[in-house]
Amino acid sequence: PAVPRRASAVSLGAASASPELSAVLGLLRSRGIDAHSASGPRRADGADADACDHVGARRVYAYVSGAVRRGGLTSGNADDVLRYLEATFPAGGEPVGGGPSRPPAVGLVVTAAPRILRSSVPSQLVPAVAFLRDLYGPELLSEAVRRNPHLLLVPVGRRGNDGSVEAYLSDEVGISVGALKKIRARCPQLLGSDVGKTVRPAVEYIAGVLGEGGGSGRSA
């Protein structure tokens, strides 16, 4: 018998997926996170709109299938990441560390930033969450991540003896408190950078280009 066109185009997801890709997609589906190729059908089961946005589902599938094919994503790593996100931002509850704002749905985070599935929990996500909690405070952490899930991908540099970026910008460069608040809101990634390897050389280079010398003297 003839098969409807849409039903027969269930795409790479069911027809030719590798066992590892099938395992990753299964982990996502078990959490209500949709991921299918461009020719696949939309879900119609009433799941959370954050997790079943059609364009987002195609984006997740494209990233996951490519990452698995290149060997950069395994079901074990994806499971570790998903479990960590669920523990840190529990559905219907408060984030670890307190705070009144509603936690972001795990589906929202993965759909917006699918490469988070490749992250190392101990060396990337745990430091990133700790940094963001210090930056925004426990009460605003969830709201910040809900508005911009890519914040969880902020590379947190090792501060070592150089101290924090905020201290460097304030004490050595002379950035005002008001300007630091704007940086915190608009470019939090900068505050997670390594002072000695990234921020200080950049400031000194800009100062040199502007003819203010190569040091990090205080700005007006």
Side-chain angles (χ1 to χ4, degrees), residues 12-13 16-22 24-25 37 60-75 118:
L12 309 174
S16 60
S18 69
E20 191 65 16
L21 176 56
S22 296
V24 175
L25 294 177
S37 71
V60 173
Y61 183 87
Y63 180 83
V64 167
S65 60
V68 170
R69 185 173 61 253
R70 293 188 297 270
L73 175 63
T74 66
S75 57
R118 293 182 58 187

Side-chain angles (χ1 to χ4, degrees), residues 5-31:
R5 183 180 181 85
R6 287 181 63 82
S8 64
V10 178
S11 74
L12 309 174
S16 60
S18 69
E20 191 65 16
L21 176 56
S22 296
V24 175
L25 294 177
L27 289 171
L28 297 177
R29 283 194 298 270
S30 70
R31 292 162 168 86

Side-chain angles (χ1 to χ4, degrees), residues 176-188 191:
S176 68
V177 173
L180 283 175
K181 288 182 178 180
K182 291 181 180 179
I183 292 173
R184 188 182 299 119
R186 299 176 184 177
C187 191
L191 301 182

Side-chain angles (χ1 to χ4, degrees), residues 22-200:
S22 296
V24 175
L25 294 177
L27 289 171
L28 297 177
R29 283 194 298 270
S30 70
R31 292 162 168 86
I33 304 171
D34 201 12
H36 57 70
S37 71
S39 58
R42 293 173 183 250
R43 284 180 55 169
D45 57 4
D48 188 327
D50 285 338
C52 41
D53 169 75
H54 188 51
V55 175
R58 295 188 308 188
R59 180 171 59 249
V60 173
Y61 183 87
Y63 180 83
V64 167
S65 60
V68 170
R69 185 173 61 253
R70 293 188 297 270
L73 175 63
T74 66
S75 57
N77 198 83
D79 190 42
D80 288 344
V81 169
L82 291 169
R83 288 176 183 272
Y84 176 75
L85 292 176
E86 289 170 334
T88 305
F89 304 106
E94 300 297 341
V96 173
S101 58
R102 187 164 60 96
V106 172
L108 170 67
V109 173
V110 174
T111 300
R115 65 192 179 98
I116 198 172
L117 295 171
R118 293 182 58 187
S119 299
S120 165
V121 171
S123 64
Q124 293 176 283
L125 293 183
V126 170
V129 168
F131 166 74
L132 293 171
R133 185 176 289 120
D134 288 343
L135 184 65
Y136 292 105
E139 66 282 356
L140 294 179
L141 172 63
S142 289
E143 185 62 26
V145 174
R146 174 176 291 280
R147 293 187 179 189
N148 183 8
H150 288 87
L151 288 174
L152 292 172
L153 297 172
V154 168
V156 181
R158 295 181 180 178
R159 296 176 181 178
N161 295 326
D162 287 317
S164 72
V165 173
E166 285 194 72
Y168 168 72
L169 293 177
S170 175
D171 298 341
E172 297 191 41
V173 181
I175 300 294
S176 68
V177 173
L180 283 175
K181 288 182 178 180
K182 291 181 180 179
I183 292 173
R184 188 182 299 119
R186 299 176 184 177
C187 191
Q189 295 89 337
L190 174 63
L191 301 182
S193 301
D194 185 288
V195 174
K197 294 181 179 179
T198 304
V199 182
R200 189 189 304 274

